[in-house]
Structure formats: structure tokens, C-alpha cells
Amino acid sequence: MSMFSAFDVTASGLTAQRLRMDVISENVANANTTRTEDGTPYRRKIVTFQQKNPQQTFSQGVKVRQIFEDTTTEMNMVYDPSHPDADENGYVTYPNVNIVTEMTDLIDASRSYEANSTAFNASKSMALKGLEIGQ
């Protein structure tokens, strides 16, 4: 493993966690969106990761495997007959976004981002010390 591959690994983690935070932000922003462009309520999105080059014996970092809509969590049904998106029984279908879950995921992504940033800075510091030794 070369010195620069440590930078690649941590940079891929930073990029992946940044995308995860963006998707979580989108979920929070659309927590009350009852009608999207296709006429259905917003569905929570989830990011999954996978190892880059899984056939190799050592890690080459992480990449986003996919961003998919959460179809397993039930949508929230709220009785509000005056709402323009209410069905014939007076119920409005709200997105399956739970703010507590999203904030927990956001904290997790933020801590992972911070850990990758710390690892990147440690690698940079070691590289600089190695250059100082060579002088």
C-alpha cells in the first residue's frame, strides 16, 4: 500500500459521507411533501456503500453502491379532510421520513466524515514528516 493510497481511501470516505449527508438533508427538507412531480408523496431515500475493488485483498476505499427509495417503511397517514391531497376518507399520505431517524443518521454521517478528515490529516502529517527526514 503506497503512501498516496491512504489519501485515496480517506478521500473516498469523505466523498461518500458528504453524499449521504446531502441525501439526509433532502429527506428532512421533504418531510412534509405530500405531492412530488409524479403526484405521489415523497419517499425517504437511503444511501448504501460498498468497497471499491472488492476482489483486492486490501481496501481501496468506499463508493456509493446505490441511492434507493425506502419502500419498507410505512407512509404516515394523517386525518385532515381540508388538505388538498386528502383521499376520499379524509386521510393525507405524508412521507415516511422520521426526523429523529434522519438526525441520528446525520450525526453518524457527520462523525464518519470527521473520522475520515482526521485520518486524512494524520496521513498528510506523516507524509510531511517523511519529507523532513529526507532533508
Side-chain angles (χ1 to χ4, degrees):
M1 186 160 148
S2 76
M3 175 181 69
F4 294 109
S5 63
F7 294 130
D8 293 338
V9 170
T10 55
S12 71
L14 289 168
T15 303
Q17 293 302 332
R18 173 59 194 245
L19 177 65
R20 183 176 173 210
M21 287 188 274
D22 288 345
V23 170
I24 292 168
S25 298
E26 180 183 338
N27 289 341
V28 171
N30 287 295
N32 292 317
T33 303
T34 58
R35 188 182 315 162
T36 58
E37 292 176 358
D38 62 358
T40 61
Y42 178 82
R43 281 201 174 271
R44 176 178 185 248
K45 292 187 174 95
I46 301 172
V47 179
T48 58
F49 303 131
Q50 75 178 36
Q51 178 182 341
K52 283 185 181 177
N53 304 323
Q55 64 275 11
Q56 293 186 350
T57 56
F58 59 90
S59 176
Q60 292 292 314
V62 67
K63 67 179 181 178
V64 174
R65 181 174 179 219
Q66 73 181 90
I67 300 172
F68 65 95
E69 290 184 351
D70 180 7
T71 57
T72 59
T73 307
E74 294 290 322
M75 302 296 268
N76 298 321
M77 301 297 288
V78 176
Y79 183 74
D80 185 4
S82 63
H83 194 283
D85 292 327
D87 64 11
E88 60 277 354
N89 297 322
Y91 284 93
V92 180
T93 305
Y94 280 93
N96 57 347
V97 175
N98 181 331
I99 297 298
V100 174
T101 302
E102 298 302 322
M103 293 308 293
T104 303
D105 288 348
L106 185 60
I107 290 169
D108 181 54
S110 176
R111 297 272 167 85
S112 295
Y113 187 92
E114 183 180 353
N116 279 292
S117 177
T118 301
F120 188 89
N121 287 332
S123 297
K124 182 175 78 172
S125 177
M126 285 187 274
L128 288 173
K129 289 292 182 187
L131 290 172
E132 287 176 10
I133 291 171
Q135 288 182 350

